[in-house]
């Protein structure tokens, strides 16, 4: 199985090919992912990205690249700062922000609900969860309701996508 860890930096993910723009012992391939993913079409079984996509200026482009290199039914697992977290905005290198609806733009079943941008990627959301800012928050009832009204409850959003070809 071919698995990629995009923008892993210092975090070596075992069993994955780690790709990053910086040269580090943990990086297998040094490459600027703004210029695409250096793999052939339909060759990748799984993609993992943790706190990386927010550093890229073109979310559509990287999602289309992930789609291009992935095989049918490949799994894509992404962690990004939740748009209502302080961490999303305090880092000056963050140029993209993510909500619960961001990844719906890559799901053709949502056509009609969202504007059509002719995106060349087709994913289904399997899972969307949050990593809470405080461990005690997980015990609070109605967290998802509170997310609508309060900032900095969720630090990270985790999404699992299935590639549909």
């Amino acid at each position: 199985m071919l698995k990629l860890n995009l923008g892993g930096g210092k975090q070596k993910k075992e069993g994955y090919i780690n790709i990053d723009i910086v040269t580090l012992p943990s990086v297998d391939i040094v490459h600027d992912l703004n210029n695409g993913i250096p793999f052939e079409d339909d060759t990748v079984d799984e993609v993992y990205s943790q706190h990386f996509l927010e550093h890229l200026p073109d979310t559509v482009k990287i999602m289309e690249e992930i789609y291009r290199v992935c095989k049918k039914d490949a799994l894509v697992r992404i962690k990004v700062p939740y748009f209502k977290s302080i961490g999303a905005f305090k880092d000056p290198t963050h140029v993209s922000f993510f909500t619960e609806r961001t990844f719906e733009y890559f799901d053709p079943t949502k056509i009609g609900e969202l504007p059509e941008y002719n995106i060349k990627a087709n994913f289904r959301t399997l899972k969307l969860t949050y990593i809470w800012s405080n461990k005690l928050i997980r015990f609070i009832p109605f967290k998802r309701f509170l997310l609508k009204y309060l900032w900095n409850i969720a630090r990270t959003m985790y999404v699992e996508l299935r590639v549909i070809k």
Side-chain angles (χ1 to χ4, degrees):
M1 274 185 62
L2 180 57
K3 300 192 278 188
L4 304 180
N5 179 18
L6 303 181
K10 293 179 182 177
Q11 297 175 331
K12 174 76 172 168
K13 191 157 180 64
E14 292 304 319
Y16 290 73
I17 296 173
N18 295 275
I19 306 171
D20 205 306
I21 196 169
V22 295
T23 302
L24 294 167
S26 57
V27 175
D28 301 307
I29 297 174
V30 176
H31 181 78
D32 183 353
L33 290 163
N34 284 301
N35 299 322
I37 300 173
F39 283 85
E40 298 294 322
D41 296 0
D42 303 311
T43 55
V44 176
D45 297 287
E46 185 176 323
V47 171
Y48 180 79
S49 173
Q50 179 173 320
H51 293 284
F52 167 68
L53 294 185
E54 65 274 12
H55 298 277
L56 299 181
D58 194 340
T59 302
V60 172
K61 181 179 176 181
I62 191 65
M63 291 303 292
E64 287 179 338
E65 274 295 291
I66 290 169
Y67 180 77
R68 179 187 66 77
V69 301
C70 280
K71 295 177 181 177
K72 178 183 184 238
D73 294 327
L75 180 64
V76 178
R77 299 182 304 128
I78 297 170
K79 288 182 180 178
V80 288
Y82 184 56
F83 85 108
K84 284 188 174 182
S85 72
I86 291 169
F89 290 96
K90 76 176 182 180
D91 186 334
T93 66
H94 290 182
V95 295
S96 297
F97 303 93
F98 298 86
T99 77
E100 293 84 356
R101 302 220 51 203
T102 299
F103 294 99
E104 290 180 9
Y105 283 84
F106 304 99
D107 184 344
T109 66
K110 303 296 181 182
I111 292 174
E113 295 177 36
L114 300 169
E116 173 59 45
Y117 294 117
N118 197 29
I119 295 172
K120 294 168 181 56
N122 187 351
F123 297 95
R124 295 291 186 279
T125 302
L126 302 176
K127 182 179 185 178
L128 190 146
T129 60
Y130 305 93
I131 298 170
W132 306 105
S133 298
N134 181 311
K135 291 181 181 183
L136 296 176
I137 290 173
R138 67 180 177 206
F139 299 110
I140 296 173
F142 312 112
K143 287 182 289 291
R144 289 185 186 262
F145 175 77
L146 292 174
L147 278 172
K148 292 181 180 182
Y149 302 103
L150 300 176
W151 285 76
N152 213 40
I153 290 178
R155 180 179 32 144
T156 299
M157 188 172 72
Y158 172 75
V159 63
E160 287 184 3
L161 306 169
R162 175 76 60 209
V163 173
I164 307 298
K165 291 192 176 185

